[in-house]
C-alpha cells in the first residue's frame, strides 16, 4: 500500500514526561485517517512533529517515503497543509487578504486560484468583512482555506470541530469529504469527538497515553463492532442469573438495562425469568459504536 505518512516507534519526552511512546502509524494515500484519543493522549504532539515544529526524541518518520532527516523533507512538507490547535489567521484582515498573505509566505508567483479556494470553503461572499467579525465556524473554514494555499495533497487538521455548533460541524464535515473525494486530498483528522469521526474516516488510529493501541480500516472497525441487543427489564439481577445459566455473554448497563452479545430466544428467556417475577419491557438490536469500541480498548473515562 502507498502511504503518505509512516512513523516508526516515535517517542517524545519533555523532561520526565513522555508525550509519545514508541508510536507507529500508517496513513494510506487518499484516506481520511481519524486520529482518535483523549485530550492529552499525544495527538497534537505527533502532529506538531510531522509538521516540523518539533523533533522526535527517538524513532523516525517519513513523508511520501522521505525520511525526516533527509534534506528533501522540506520539499515533502510543502505538499502538506495544516491547521494545528487554532487556525493561524490575521484578525484585522479579510479572508482574501489572509490567503494572499499565505501565498506570500509560501513564495507563490501569483494569487491565481485564491478565489476558487474561498469559494470552495464557502467564504467567497465575505468581501471586506474583517476576520475578527467572523463566527467560529467561518474562522475554522478560513483556517482550512489557508492550509489549502499552495495546493497540498495532504491536509492535517487538529481538532477541527472543537467548539462548533451543529451547523458548523456539518459544514466542516462536508468540506472535508469534498476535499477528499473531489481533490483526492489525504486527510489526517485528530479528534476526541468520536461520533463525528465515524461519519468521515476511512481509517483509524487509536492512541492512548502516547501509545498506538490499534490501527484499522473503517471496514475492519465495522466487523469488530459487535451487534448487541439492549434489553430493558424490571430488574437486571435475575436476568444476570438466567444469562449465566444459559452461558450468554452480556454487560449490565444499569439496574434495568443490559446488553446481550448474541441472538437470544425471547420466549425461552421470558419463561426462565418468570419464576423471578422479572419482566422484559423492551429489546432493541444495536451496533457497537466507535465510542464504545474505543472505551473497550483503552478503558477509563473519556475526558
Amino acid at each position: 500500500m502507498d502511504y503518505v505518512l509512516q512513523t516508526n516507534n516515535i517517542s517524545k519526552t519533555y523532561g520526565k514526561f513522555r508525550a509519545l511512546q514508541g508510536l507507529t502509524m500508517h496513513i494510506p494515500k487518499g484516506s481520511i485517517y481519524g486520529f482518535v484519543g483523549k485530550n492529552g493522549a499525544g495527538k497534537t504532539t505527533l502532529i506538531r512533529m510531522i509538521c516540523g515544529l518539533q523533533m522526535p526524541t527517538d524513532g523516525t518518520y517519513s513523508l511520501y517515503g522521505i525520511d525526516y532527516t533527509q534534506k528533501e523533507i522540506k520539499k515533502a512538507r510543502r505538499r502538506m497543509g495544516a491547521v494545528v490547535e487554532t487556525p493561524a489567521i490575521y484578525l484585522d484582515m479579510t479572508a482574501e487578504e489572509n490567503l494572499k498573505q499565505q501565498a506570500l509566505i509560501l513564495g507563490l508567483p501569483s494569487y491565481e486560484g485564491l478565489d476558487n479556494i474561498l469559494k470552495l470553503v464557502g467564504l467567497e461572499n465575505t468581501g471586506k468583512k474583517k476576520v475578527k467579525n467572523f463566527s467560529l465556524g467561518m474562522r475554522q473554514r478560513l483556517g482550512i482555506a489557508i492550509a489549502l494555499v499552495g495546493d497540498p495533497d495532504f491536509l492535517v487538521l487538529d481538532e477541527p470541530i472543537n467548539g462548533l455548533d451543529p451547523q458548523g460541524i456539518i459544514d466542516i464535515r462536508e468540506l472535508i469529504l469534498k476535499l477528499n473525494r473531489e481533490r483526492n486530498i489525504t486527510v489526517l483528522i485528530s479528534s476526541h469527538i468520536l461520533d463525528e469521526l465515524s461519519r468521515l474516516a476511512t481509517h483509524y488510529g487509536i492512541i492512548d497515553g502516547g501509545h498506538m493501541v490499534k490501527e484499522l480500516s473503517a471496514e475492519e472497525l465495522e466487523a469488530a463492532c459487535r451487534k448487541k441487543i439492549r434489553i430493558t427489564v424490571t430488574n437486571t439481577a435475575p436476568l444476570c442469573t438466567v444469562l449465566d445459566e444459559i452461558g450468554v455473554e452480556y454487560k449490565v448497563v444499569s439496574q434495568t438495562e443490559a446488553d446481550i452479545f448474541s441472538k437470544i430466544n425471547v420466549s425461552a428467556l421470558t419463561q426462565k425469568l418468570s419464576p423471578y417475577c422479572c419482566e422484559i419491557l423492551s429489546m432493541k438490536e444495536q451496533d457497537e459504536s466507535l465510542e464504545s469500541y474505543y472505551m473497550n480498548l483503552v478503558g477509563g473515562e473519556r475526558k
Side-chain angles (χ1 to χ4, degrees):
M1 185 177 289
D2 191 7
Y3 296 109
V4 170
L5 170 69
Q6 294 186 80
T7 74
N8 183 29
N9 290 320
I10 284 284
S11 295
K12 181 65 179 178
T13 59
Y14 302 94
K16 294 183 179 179
F17 174 69
R18 289 188 174 185
L20 296 174
Q21 303 184 56
L23 187 143
T24 296
M25 71 188 302
H26 310 80
I27 300 182
K29 182 179 180 181
S31 67
I32 299 178
Y33 189 101
F35 197 24
V36 182
K38 304 174 186 177
N39 289 333
K43 302 189 302 294
T44 299
T45 299
L46 188 280
I47 286 174
R48 291 178 63 84
M49 198 175 295
I50 64 175
C51 291
L53 301 175
Q54 293 180 352
M55 297 290 283
T57 305
D58 292 297
T60 186
Y61 70 89
S62 62
L63 283 168
Y64 304 100
I66 300 170
D67 190 89
Y68 83 98
T69 59
Q70 295 179 260
K71 291 189 296 184
E72 292 83 356
I73 194 65
K74 290 184 178 181
K75 186 176 181 180
R77 284 203 185 99
R78 290 182 70 88
R79 298 174 63 181
M80 291 177 59
V83 181
V84 183
E85 296 176 299
T86 56
I89 54 181
Y90 297 96
L91 297 179
D92 287 321
M93 290 184 177
T94 65
E96 182 180 10
E97 288 168 345
N98 267 276
L99 264 59
K100 287 181 176 179
Q101 185 65 31
Q102 181 66 9
L104 289 172
I105 292 171
L106 294 177
L108 300 182
S110 72
Y111 297 140
E112 185 179 354
L114 298 187
D115 289 344
N116 291 333
I117 294 176
L118 286 175
K119 186 175 182 180
L120 180 66
V121 301
L123 295 175
E124 70 274 21
N125 295 320
T126 53
K128 296 183 178 180
K129 186 175 183 178
K130 303 293 185 183
V131 173
K132 63 184 177 183
N133 297 317
F134 282 15
S135 67
L136 180 58
M138 292 171 69
R139 293 186 188 186
Q140 287 291 82
R141 283 184 280 134
L142 177 59
I144 294 175
I146 292 170
L148 292 173
V149 175
D151 197 25
D153 49 25
F154 180 32
L155 186 61
V156 178
L157 304 176
D158 187 16
E159 301 282 2
I161 61 173
N162 259 10
L164 297 185
D165 61 23
Q167 185 58 52
I169 292 173
I170 291 171
D171 291 342
I172 294 295
R173 181 204 311 156
E174 291 180 348
L175 174 58
I176 292 169
L177 288 171
K178 187 174 184 178
L179 292 172
N180 177 254
R181 293 169 180 174
E182 296 183 10
R183 296 198 171 196
N184 199 32
I185 294 176
T186 304
V187 186
L188 167 62
I189 308 174
S190 156
S191 184
H192 65 281
I193 304 176
L194 307 187
D195 179 62
E196 185 58 31
L197 268 186
S198 67
R199 301 169 188 263
L200 288 167
T202 62
H203 294 76
Y204 297 91
I206 298 175
I207 184 176
D208 187 54
H211 292 281
M212 181 65 77
V213 179
K214 186 84 170 177
E215 279 193 303
L216 69 171
S217 67
E219 291 79 12
E220 290 169 330
L221 175 65
E222 185 176 349
C225 287
R226 298 174 296 173
K227 289 185 180 296
K228 63 184 179 183
I229 296 172
R230 173 64 59 85
I231 184 169
T232 304
V233 294
T234 51
N235 187 353
T236 53
L239 174 68
C240 293
T241 301
V242 171
L243 293 177
D244 286 337
E245 290 176 0
I246 299 172
V248 171
E249 185 183 357
Y250 65 91
K251 178 182 178 181
V252 175
V253 178
S254 69
Q255 290 184 338
T256 58
E257 290 182 315
D259 290 333
I260 300 174
F261 296 99
S262 65
K263 291 185 178 180
I264 194 95
N265 186 309
V266 180
S267 298
L269 181 61
T270 301
Q271 287 179 354
K272 287 182 177 293
L273 289 173
S274 181
Y276 297 97
C277 298
C278 179
E279 296 181 23
I280 298 175
L281 303 178
S282 68
M283 296 179 73
K284 184 178 181 181
E285 190 174 277
Q286 299 176 338
D287 289 330
E288 188 177 17
S289 66
L290 171 58
E291 181 166 1
S292 59
Y293 179 79
Y294 167 79
M295 294 306 295
N296 286 334
L297 276 180
V298 306
E301 294 185 359
R302 193 159 55 86
K303 298 178 180 179

